[in-house]
Amino acid sequence: MSGKGRIPALVVVLALLLLPLAGGASAASGPGVELSASQAGAGGSLTVSGSGWRPHTLLMVLVCGRATPARGVIGGTNSCANADGRAVTTDAKGGFSRRVPVAEPPVPCPCVVHVATVTGAKANADAALKVAGHPVEPLPAESFGGRLLLLSDTRLSGSSGLLTWFGAPPSRTLVFTVGNAGPGDIKNPVFKVGTAHGVFAPEWDDQQWRGTLAPGGKARIELPVELAAGAHGDYTVSVKYGGKVLAEQPWGVGHPWGVTLFWLLLCLVVPAALFRVGMAVVDRIRPRRASGGRRGPRRAPPTLRLPGSRTPQAPPAPDSTLPWFTPDSAPGAAGRLSAPHDDSPTSPTTPT
């Protein structure tokens, strides 16, 4: 094969080798956000479009101040116009398009349109926006101290005991590993641990980890998590540091069936006890019979019979005839079919 024929073959081979790499690079680029206009006034609206998100995922679109796409939202959602936010769900390809109002954030610009996932794994993206008429201030200087990074997935350790089955507060320990990627030390960092039930906003609790994390070092963090008494259902435990959510962990809490069993037993035992008490009261207040009242017939005492003796014969029962008739003179007796006649003896003759 000539040199000229080898060049097209090499081009085809290189194209086939680079095609998967290009596809992987585009997939690894992550979610993106685009705006229909880079500048808008407060009270107006613009269209926010996105691609590269997870399919069928609920997103929240906010206008935030004191933020840039490079540094993100420095103050967290406290720097955003939360009341004018809009929710949108991605399609089967991970894209979306939503018309959102332009509102003034509670802090000065530079501003961005911040898009973040509401459920599932955390993902976010920002697009720069100029809000006309809103004050602009320079961002605070970036700190050159320690920078905390999450190095491992979070997990909840521990188990529920017998008391939890009867309504005691469920408790777990949130375990994860962090590392210091900054040039300075991190001393006694304060984490925010939040618990959210369903789609409700989490309730945050400050918990401090005692210790110093040197640059390049890592540490295993264990933070206690406790819910309210009788809590059950699907919960989400989140950990936040420096205004940024590091990780989230789902927690399915079982139903306290012991409480249900207690109420069922209470509904059965209390009526039974009341019935017994009522019967005792009725038995006490019921009038008693007089001592000289009519008594039933007494039974004859059993007779003793010796071996070889005969059982005495009972006397014959009297005939059931009328008291003024004898057996011989009773009406309808045998031999009395003729007319009545005189049976008296012949009277003696009177002497003449």
Side-chain angles (χ1 to χ4, degrees), residues 253-267:
V253 184
H255 194 283
W257 294 110
V259 179
T260 305
L261 180 61
F262 170 78
W263 285 110
L264 289 177
L265 293 177
L266 189 65
C267 294

Side-chain angles (χ1 to χ4, degrees), residues 44-255:
S45 62
L46 53 85
T47 301
V48 181
S49 304
S51 60
W53 300 83
R54 294 195 314 273
H56 307 293
T57 302
L58 182 62
L59 306 177
M60 180 61 69
V61 183
L62 299 170
V63 177
C64 304
R66 196 177 295 167
T68 61
R71 295 185 59 179
V73 183
I74 296 176
T77 55
N78 294 330
S79 302
C80 304
N82 298 309
D84 297 300
R86 293 294 184 268
V88 62
T89 303
T90 59
D91 55 20
K93 296 181 180 180
F96 71 92
S97 180
R98 184 73 159 87
R99 193 78 178 174
V100 298
V102 178
E104 295 186 3
V107 294
C109 284
C111 298
V112 297
V113 173
H114 180 72
V115 182
T117 56
V118 178
T119 57
K122 283 294 181 181
N124 59 78
D126 300 322
L129 174 66
K130 294 182 179 180
V131 180
H134 194 64
V136 179
E137 293 182 2
L139 295 178
E142 191 172 1
S143 175
F144 293 98
R147 187 162 60 94
L148 201 65
L149 296 178
L150 186 68
L151 301 180
S152 67
D153 294 336
T154 58
R155 62 182 180 89
L156 292 172
S157 64
S159 60
S160 300
L162 182 61
L163 295 180
T164 305
W165 200 66
F166 284 94
S171 61
R172 292 288 189 277
T173 301
L174 184 65
V175 182
F176 57 95
T177 303
V178 295
N180 185 4
D185 295 340
I186 299 178
K187 297 181 179 180
N188 301 328
V190 178
F191 297 93
K192 289 183 177 292
V193 179
T195 55
H197 183 43
V199 297
F200 294 97
E203 298 179 0
W204 300 99
D205 182 25
D206 293 342
Q207 296 188 21
Q208 187 175 24
W209 180 75
R210 299 289 181 177
T212 301
L213 196 59
K218 61 180 181 178
R220 186 170 181 262
I221 309 297
E222 296 183 359
L223 303 175
V225 182
E226 183 174 307
L227 302 179
H232 61 278
D234 295 330
Y235 284 81
T236 302
V237 180
S238 306
V239 57
K240 183 192 298 185
Y241 178 77
K244 181 180 180 181
V245 177
L246 297 180
E248 290 182 341
Q249 179 68 30
W251 183 10
V253 184
H255 194 283

Side-chain angles (χ1 to χ4, degrees), residues 262-311:
F262 170 78
W263 285 110
L264 289 177
L265 293 177
L266 189 65
C267 294
L268 295 176
V269 171
V270 171
L274 293 178
F275 176 77
R276 294 292 298 273
V277 172
M279 293 301 296
V281 172
V282 170
D283 185 67
R284 182 173 293 274
I285 65 177
R286 183 175 56 187
R288 299 180 180 274
R289 294 181 178 179
S291 59
R294 185 178 180 181
R295 297 180 180 178
R298 294 183 179 180
R299 295 182 179 181
T303 58
L304 298 177
R305 186 175 62 179
L306 297 176
S309 61
R310 296 180 177 180
T311 304

